[in-house]
Amino acid sequence: MDLTYSDEERAFRDEVRAFLRDKLPDALSEKVRRRQELSKDDHERWHAILNERGWLAQNWPRAFGGAEWNAVQRHIFEEEAAAANAPRIVPFGVAMLAPVLQKFGSKAQQDHYLPRILNGDDWWCQGYSEPGAGSDLASLNTRAVRQGDHYIVNGQKTWTTLGQHANRIFCLVRTDPDAKQQEGISFLLIDMDSPGIEMRPIVLLDGSPEVNEIFFNDVRVPFENLVGEENKGWTYAKYLLTHERTNIAGVGFALAGLESVKRMAYAERRNGRALIENPHFAARLAQVEIDLMAMETTNLRIISAAAAGQAPGVESSMLKVKGTIIRQEINDLARRAAGPYALPFPSAALAGDNDPVGPDYGDAVAATYFNNRKLSIYGGSNEIQRGIIAKAKLGGGA
Amino acid sequence: MNFELTEERRMLQDTLRRFLSKRYDTETRNAILDSESGFSPDIWSDLADLGIIGALFTEAQGGFGGAGFDIAVVFEELGRAGVVEPFLDSAVLGGGLIAALGDTDQQALLAEVIAGHAHLALAHGEPASRYDLSRVETSAGFEDDKIVLNGRKAVVVNAEAAGHLIVTARESGDVDDETGISLFLVPADTAGVTLRGYPMLAGGRAAEITLEDVRLPPSARLGTAGAGFAALSDRVAAANVALAAEVLGAMETAVALTRDYMLTRKQFGRPIASFQALQHRFADLLIELEQARSAVINAAGHLAAAPHERDRQIAAARNLIGRIGRLVAEESIQLHGGIAMTQEYELAHIAKRIVMSDHRLGDTDTHLERFIALSYAQDAR
């Protein structure tokens, strides 16, 4: 047992910290700190900065031009990046699609798409969920029918995050309606400029146009855009889920969020004293901090096992449930700490260089609270995760 | 970063687990609970022979462990089996205080403890002190070259079995001051020491102690006059690591019993493990158990840290373990149903160990307050 980082890991952290200090533009970190919406340019700018340093493709093997960081290194980066208010890396191309292409894609697909992900030529979005297929993803209905050297795709995808910026989408589509649910699904790459695709924004409860619904009407997709084998798409999707979950606990975000709540609680006054001295507030804050201290260690235990080559199984589900509960509790505390200044609606009047109406730490705390209700819903809801955990531990009896 | 046990600690764990699974089954333990002494001298001496007490002390002290993770490994196994023998009192607290403060003559008693031949009890808490470590009303005066103790000590665990009591008493200062507290090694049969013994709800025995003009030679003092608090809080920190680990082990048993029962118990024609309402509650127990394990690792790993960070980590761990312990105990009983309400079923004892440990050396709320005081002091920023 040794709870300290190795000399190499500490040196790596210093390197990451220096990079963030030198290369993270103030304009971006200020937007993140004030919880403002990032534009497509903002995201692309940050990706380009990371890519220049070779740190965009953190999880890729060196053979594909990646940094090939292990789980501990990625964890350190996530912690430092969150603390520095860096924009999060948009995961769809670099962290989600790329590992699937590297493992199951053709040489031509790898050669064509991987460099375009790194240099920002392509912005990918994810076509998984459908109106009738949420938690029960395998019941998806979007059909792809083979016609010559093309598939003809018909159906609808939804909750497509940042799809408004995307020029490509990777989709799960049904290619064999007669097979057992999971066995008739294929993994298809689709150009968003294809005729027959229509995208509409869905405005979320915090006012953000973060997600979209996408309609496919007789969309022609070249056969060469199939990844791997036909009807094996479910396997590829599951591979993606189990291998890209080191940050599922969101420890970096939680630590940064907790620091931000503390700053607020030291600054806010209640009955002439700092809010942090209010016993009720302090008790809630302390409990979530204690939960987070334990979860940091739970997370490190799991990722150091992953770094040693053990694939995380049910532990990912545990981290997802606990991590999202902790982050949502922190979001709630931030909303309360802001007091009446949680009320202003984050709109154009508050964006950009305009002065905040109250203390700037109160910007959009309530909007963030509402937006992050998604955490326990997406990526397999917490109820789905609990089911996975119970079935793994109760075995056949469950 | 490394979360693996060393080879030595893995062996210690295996040895203890094997011994307890063979020698400490439910029936044996329930007979121990009903016994007059409240623990088994045979088990005690066999475990001493296996080196389990020695594992709680450093080599310099005559043992072969003594670090936070040694204590955690031993107590996790003790907790797993619901062991009621007084390892916390005779060894971690009693022996630990002699190791920290004792002179050469006094250290001889430590060797007896490690060999399993002597028992100790820490007589510190008082009827009005609750969990306040520095609140000591019992007084130590000086008369005709003798130290004279007067006062009352509350819920002194293992007092009746102990050949010596380690009594805290105030030689100077106000009732809550950290300075002015001394420790005394008092033979249990000293005139003026009166015990009122009783069994405890989750096993073992304790006593209320009256000290009435108890006369001691100055050589009975452990360490320097009035300067006992640092060693006391140091040992209490170690005992808190032990308690946290013990509860972790007990929770592992509670969850394992619950799992087995959910798979065997049938209602409405199928195992109750097949009901989603129960599955999700069970999943939460598994999640929290991993959190509890991490809290024990954090506490054990910081036992040798500077006192402020050590105490902050330990307060965090015991608060978390207190919250999770209550959840696991209550949910395990509820998921079982009626069977868990019977005294002879293993879970009954395990659940009681979990919940009642929260009444030793600070409860969930006390440790939360302590964490807040150590973390959010306004002047700390």
Side-chain angles (χ1 to χ4, degrees):
Chain A
M1 289 277 185
D2 180 9
L3 304 189
T4 54
Y5 287 99
S6 68
D7 288 346
E8 292 87 31
E9 287 161 349
R10 265 197 297 273
F12 177 75
R13 188 184 289 276
D14 289 343
E15 199 185 340
V16 170
R17 207 171 278 180
F19 167 80
L20 290 165
R21 190 185 52 232
D22 297 343
K23 300 290 186 185
L24 172 61
D26 291 343
L28 290 185
S29 60
E30 185 63 7
K31 271 187 162 182
V32 172
R33 188 179 69 78
R34 293 183 60 185
R35 304 178 184 87
Q36 291 172 356
E37 195 186 325
L38 296 173
S39 67
K40 183 179 186 182
D41 283 351
D42 291 334
H43 286 295
E44 288 181 331
R45 186 178 173 198
W46 181 233
H47 278 209
I49 292 168
L50 286 169
N51 189 42
E52 200 190 345
R53 183 73 173 76
W55 286 1
L56 177 61
Q58 303 174 353
N59 55 329
W60 295 16
R62 291 224 172 75
F64 290 111
E68 208 174 308
W69 285 350
N70 65 28
V72 175
Q73 288 175 304
R74 275 186 273 165
H75 169 77
I76 289 171
F77 180 87
E78 280 149 10
E79 229 174 56
E80 291 299 324
N85 291 311
R88 69 169 195 153
I89 295 173
V90 180
F92 306 107
V94 71
M96 297 169 93
L97 175 63
V100 171
L101 290 181
Q102 288 160 7
K103 174 96 172 167
F104 305 106
S106 67
K107 177 83 168 56
Q109 286 168 340
Q110 291 170 353
D111 290 346
H112 181 68
Y113 291 116
L114 294 178
R116 295 174 61 86
I117 289 173
L118 287 187
N119 65 26
D121 285 346
D122 287 335
W123 183 306
W124 288 91
C125 62
Q126 181 189 47
Y128 277 20
S129 293
E130 297 180 3
S135 287
D136 183 13
L137 185 61
S139 71
L140 59 90
N141 267 325
T142 296
R143 283 278 282 127
V145 179
R146 188 81 184 266
Q147 202 177 85
D149 53 3
H150 280 74
Y151 286 107
I152 309 297
V153 178
N154 279 286
Q156 183 187 347
K157 294 289 176 184
T158 191
W159 310 129
T160 315
T161 303
L162 300 182
Q164 66 267 37
H165 303 323
N167 62 327
R168 294 182 192 278
I169 181 168
F170 56 93
C171 278
L172 292 180
V173 294
R174 189 161 298 286
T175 36
D176 183 353
D178 301 322
K180 244 178 65 186
Q181 263 197 355
Q182 281 97 335
E183 286 163 15
I185 293 171
S186 297
F187 197 105
L188 216 50
L189 310 176
I190 303 178
D191 189 332
M192 291 291 282
D193 291 334
S194 312
I197 290 184
E198 190 196 344
M199 179 159 53
R200 297 178 197 155
I202 302 173
V203 178
L204 296 181
L205 78 179
D206 63 334
S208 69
E210 194 177 42
V211 297
N212 303 270
E213 52 188 346
I214 302 180
F215 300 86
F216 298 84
N217 271 311
D218 289 334
V219 176
R220 287 169 62 84
V221 180
F223 179 66
E224 72 218 36
N225 284 17
L226 173 74
V227 174
E229 291 177 50
E230 201 177 73
N231 298 330
K232 290 280 167 60
W234 190 252
T235 314
Y236 311 150
K238 264 177 44 184
Y239 172 83
L240 187 160
L241 287 177
T242 49
H243 283 76
E244 293 316 313
R245 283 192 156 184
T246 41
N247 194 28
I248 195 162
V251 169
F253 294 120
L255 287 169
L258 186 77
E259 270 313 301
S260 154
V261 172
K262 283 189 194 169
R263 274 198 301 278
M264 295 164 77
Y266 278 99
E268 286 286 318
R269 317 298 291 178
R270 169 145 171 75
N271 296 326
R273 308 184 64 132
L275 180 63
I276 193 97
E277 294 184 63
N278 177 282
H280 298 292
F281 191 86
R284 283 189 63 189
L285 183 64
Q287 289 187 61
V288 78
E289 179 164 1
I290 288 168
D291 287 346
L292 180 54
M293 285 163 72
M295 198 186 64
E296 236 187 308
T297 296
T298 308
N299 190 49
L300 286 168
R301 279 166 48 208
I302 291 169
I303 64 178
S304 59
Q310 300 168 32
V314 71
E315 291 87 357
S316 293
S317 297
M318 294 187 176
L319 287 175
K320 204 265 177 177
V321 175
K322 196 68 206 177
T324 54
I325 289 172
I326 287 173
R327 285 176 66 191
Q328 289 176 337
E329 174 71 5
I330 290 170
N331 291 148
D332 183 64
L333 285 170
R335 174 174 69 79
R336 283 163 194 268
Y341 276 119
L343 284 165
F345 185 68
S347 54
L350 301 176
D353 298 327
N354 293 318
D355 288 336
V357 293
D360 69 0
Y361 56 64
D363 285 358
V365 280
T368 302
Y369 159 85
F370 281 111
N371 185 277
N372 273 350
R373 299 314 302 170
K374 73 188 174 192
L375 298 178
S376 48
I377 299 171
Y378 70 22
S381 73
N382 283 14
E383 287 67 34
I384 291 293
Q385 305 299 340
R386 287 189 178 93
I388 291 169
I389 295 164
K391 283 190 172 66
K393 298 286 175 173
L394 292 169
Chain B
M1 197 106 36
N2 174 9
F3 296 97
E4 303 281 316
L5 287 176
T6 59
E7 188 57 34
E8 290 82 1
R9 290 189 182 123
R10 233 196 324 270
M11 279 170 57
L12 175 69
Q13 185 180 54
D14 286 351
T15 306
L16 185 52
R17 193 179 296 184
R18 244 179 298 129
F19 176 91
L20 292 171
S21 68
K22 236 189 280 172
R23 296 277 309 278
Y24 213 82
D25 59 19
T26 305
E27 204 179 332
T28 309
R29 209 252 338 283
N30 286 352
I32 294 171
L33 289 174
D34 291 338
S35 69
E36 213 160 285
S37 62
F39 72 91
S40 160
D42 288 345
I43 295 284
W44 182 261
S45 114
D46 288 351
L47 285 172
D49 291 347
L50 276 180
I52 303 306
I53 303 176
L56 303 171
F57 294 91
T58 64
E59 278 182 44
Q61 295 166 344
F64 54 88
F69 289 115
D70 298 306
I71 294 171
V73 163
V74 167
F75 276 84
E76 185 180 343
E77 294 311 312
L78 297 174
R80 192 189 304 279
V83 170
V84 298
E85 276 62 25
F87 287 88
L88 192 71
D89 306 283
S90 285
V92 177
L93 289 168
L97 283 165
I98 291 177
L101 297 173
D103 59 27
T104 318
D105 290 342
Q106 291 163 336
Q107 296 281 351
L109 190 51
L110 177 58
E112 294 287 292
V113 169
I114 291 175
H117 300 149
H119 278 287
L120 297 170
L122 173 61
H124 174 61
E126 301 182 353
S129 69
R130 278 182 74 88
Y131 304 118
D132 302 342
L133 201 59
S134 67
R135 187 173 181 89
V136 175
E137 282 186 69
T138 298
S139 65
F142 212 70
E143 210 175 274
D144 305 330
D145 294 340
K146 294 280 186 192
I147 292 160
V148 185
L149 303 183
N150 276 289
R152 289 170 63 195
K153 293 292 178 180
V155 202
V156 179
V157 179
N158 202 39
E160 296 159 303
H164 286 77
L165 304 170
I166 295 172
V167 177
T168 55
R170 184 164 291 287
E171 295 204 73
S172 63
D174 287 334
V175 67
D176 287 318
D177 284 356
E178 292 180 5
T179 53
I181 298 170
S182 296
L183 282 73
F184 301 95
L185 193 55
V186 182
D189 56 3
T190 308
V193 176
T194 316
L195 269 62
R196 181 187 168 207
Y198 47 82
M200 290 188 292
L201 188 135
R205 291 182 64 85
E208 301 297 290
I209 297 181
T210 309
L211 303 159
E212 203 173 0
D213 288 331
V214 176
R215 285 170 187 278
L216 304 168
S219 62
R221 190 187 280 112
L222 278 166
T224 313
F229 186 79
L232 185 66
S233 50
D234 182 59
R235 278 297 87 189
V236 165
N240 272 314
V241 169
L243 283 166
E246 184 184 351
V247 173
L248 172 63
M251 291 195 294
E252 282 163 350
T253 298
V255 170
L257 288 168
T258 303
R259 173 187 181 274
D260 292 348
Y261 193 75
M262 286 174 74
L263 289 169
T264 44
R265 173 70 171 168
K266 287 197 172 119
Q267 288 290 277
F268 306 100
R270 51 192 178 129
I272 61 173
S274 64
F275 297 117
Q276 194 182 46
L278 305 194
Q279 286 175 4
H280 285 196
R281 291 169 70 167
F282 183 68
D284 279 333
L285 300 189
L286 295 169
I287 294 169
E288 297 300 339
L289 194 57
E290 291 311 311
Q291 286 284 92
R293 194 183 312 285
S294 294
V296 169
I297 290 171
N298 288 347
H302 285 89
L303 185 57
H308 184 276
E309 184 56 14
R310 174 195 71 187
D311 291 346
R312 198 177 91 88
Q313 291 282 347
I314 285 173
R318 287 227 51 210
N319 170 263
L320 192 75
I321 296 270
R323 283 187 277 142
I324 295 173
R326 182 182 162 204
L327 176 84
V328 169
E330 292 177 358
E331 286 290 85
S332 293
I333 293 173
Q334 182 68 25
L335 290 170
H336 271 81
I339 186 71
M341 298 299 297
T342 58
Q343 187 169 41
E344 69 178 20
Y345 183 59
E346 177 70 7
L347 180 65
H349 175 67
I350 294 293
K352 285 189 280 187
R353 290 298 286 182
I354 293 170
V355 172
M356 299 318 292
S357 78
D358 198 46
H359 294 259
R360 291 210 71 183
L361 305 177
D363 63 8
T364 308
D365 294 334
T366 311
H367 286 295
L368 186 66
E369 280 173 30
R370 192 155 168 71
F371 179 84
I372 290 168
L374 292 167
S375 302
Y376 307 147
Q378 183 71 20
D379 57 5
R381 295 224 162 189

